Amino acid sequence: MSLVVEGLLIAGGIVVGRWIARAIRTRGARSEPARPAAAAEANDAPAELPATFACKLGDVVVRVAERDEAWLAGALVFSEEHPTAALFVAPEAGADRALFVRDAPGAGLVWLAPLAADELPLTKDPPHALEHGGTRFERSRRLPVRVARQGSGAPNVGDRAIVAEYAGPAAERLVVVAGSDATLAWRGVLLGEGEYDVLPGSKETRE
């Protein structure tokens, strides 16, 4: 009889011990700060765009002659050590719009429309020259960058890309973004000072 009682006491002790250990682990997990989540949140903070950019997220850009306008809802921000260029998108404009700007005083902006995937022979490393619609474009700049999306409506090309700018006759331009996940292209025209107006967005729309 004493052996039976002793066995019951040992079994009960094991059960109680396991319950206590489980309670301690649960309490510890609840009290431990979620450091990885906090770090990821900080990394997603929008980068401050250079003052030399012709426009910012949330602005409305108007072409003076055509009175065409685009509200900049989203952007692909291209960075080396700091943001050096951005491609803003205005998907609500009736027809898709995009504006390309660089970190250079007086660089103006390129008013663009997206090209379908089969309109150009897009590759992971944009070539020195491209032809579209019978017009030849020569590459004027090639820049490997990190990519961050801001706002809404910007396409997902991956977190790394090669941005290639092409010049055609007069003010005609092509921009190719060969990203780690997708390669996309846009065609349009370079707008200089006096050819566009920028109506600044509120501080809330830029954040």
Side-chain angles (χ1 to χ4, degrees):
M1 189 70 171
S2 60
L3 290 176
V4 173
V5 172
E6 185 176 350
L8 289 173
L9 289 174
I10 292 172
I14 292 172
V15 171
V16 171
R18 287 177 177 172
W19 180 83
I20 292 172
R22 185 161 53 250
I24 291 172
R25 285 198 302 269
T26 302
R27 187 164 57 250
R30 287 175 180 171
S31 61
E32 188 176 347
R35 291 177 183 171
E41 201 171 288
N43 290 338
D44 290 339
E48 186 68 25
L49 300 183
T52 52
F53 277 15
C55 49
K56 302 288 190 298
L57 197 66
D59 290 350
V60 175
V61 178
V62 182
R63 293 183 69 175
V64 173
E66 294 80 0
R67 304 310 299 172
D68 200 0
E69 65 180 42
W71 179 68
L72 309 183
L76 295 177
V77 179
F78 307 121
S79 302
E80 293 178 287
E81 295 301 320
H82 59 83
T84 57
L87 189 136
F88 294 96
V89 296
E92 85 303 331
D96 286 346
R97 303 275 192 273
L99 277 72
F100 182 78
V101 299
R102 290 193 293 110
D103 181 16
L109 58 82
V110 185
W111 186 280
L112 299 162
L115 299 181
D118 59 354
E119 290 189 63
L120 282 176
L122 299 176
T123 61
K124 287 295 184 181
D125 193 358
H128 291 284
L130 285 169
E131 185 172 317
H132 179 259
T135 303
R136 181 178 174 84
F137 292 83
E138 299 283 346
R139 195 178 71 197
S140 58
R141 190 172 288 101
R142 177 189 181 278
L143 190 64
V145 292
R146 299 189 309 277
V147 183
R149 289 196 294 171
Q150 293 186 11
S152 61
N156 181 18
V157 297
D159 60 359
R160 296 276 176 174
I162 295 174
V163 177
E165 301 173 54
Y166 292 83
E172 293 198 56
R173 298 291 186 272
L174 278 178
V175 175
V176 175
V177 179
S180 52
D181 291 348
T183 299
L184 303 175
W186 293 260
R187 179 175 176 173
V189 294
L190 174 66
L191 301 181
E193 188 175 350
E195 295 183 286
Y196 64 91
D197 286 330
V198 178
L199 309 179
S202 65
K203 185 176 185 296
E204 288 76 14
T205 60
R206 292 184 174 189
E207 293 179 347

